[in-house]
Amino acid sequence: MKIEIDDEYADEVVAAILREMYVESLYEIKMDDRHTDDLECLEELIIHIPPVLSYLMPTGAYEEFMQRVKEMKEND
């Protein structure tokens, strides 16, 4: 069975997964109940995910997502 997925849909799927990873990583760092090695990996993720998201997502959607993350951080 061969399933074909167009590039645009694949980008949306990858962006959704990365957004979820990004938010979860921020939450895990905030909770700070991990070992130092785990925190370093999470910090690497939160540094490198936004540039990839900015490439995969339309500009307006990326800016809106990052604004929501910023508001989430401020409210915690």
Side-chain angles (χ1 to χ4, degrees), residues 10-23 49 53:
D11 287 349
E12 288 178 30
V13 170
V14 171
I17 292 168
L18 289 174
R19 285 191 305 266
E20 181 71 22
M21 287 176 62
Y22 186 71
V23 171
I49 288 177
L53 282 176

Side-chain angles (χ1 to χ4, degrees), residues 11-12 14-16 18-19 22 45-66:
D11 287 349
E12 288 178 30
V14 171
L18 289 174
R19 285 191 305 266
Y22 186 71
L45 275 175
I46 64 168
I47 290 170
H48 292 95
I49 288 177
V52 176
L53 282 176
S54 70
Y55 174 77
L56 293 174
M57 296 174 69
T59 303
Y62 172 75
E63 290 170 357
E64 181 180 338
F65 172 72
M66 293 307 289

Side-chain angles (χ1 to χ4, degrees), residues 28-63:
E28 291 294 326
I29 288 173
K30 179 183 175 234
M31 297 310 293
D32 197 24
D33 60 350
R34 300 246 178 186
H35 298 302
T36 305
D37 292 341
D38 292 340
L39 286 176
E40 289 175 13
C41 291
L42 291 172
E43 289 170 351
E44 285 291 319
L45 275 175
I46 64 168
I47 290 170
H48 292 95
I49 288 177
V52 176
L53 282 176
S54 70
Y55 174 77
L56 293 174
M57 296 174 69
T59 303
Y62 172 75
E63 290 170 357

Side-chain angles (χ1 to χ4, degrees), residues 4-16:
E4 291 186 31
I5 299 174
D6 69 344
D7 291 341
E8 189 174 316
Y9 181 72
D11 287 349
E12 288 178 30
V13 170
V14 171

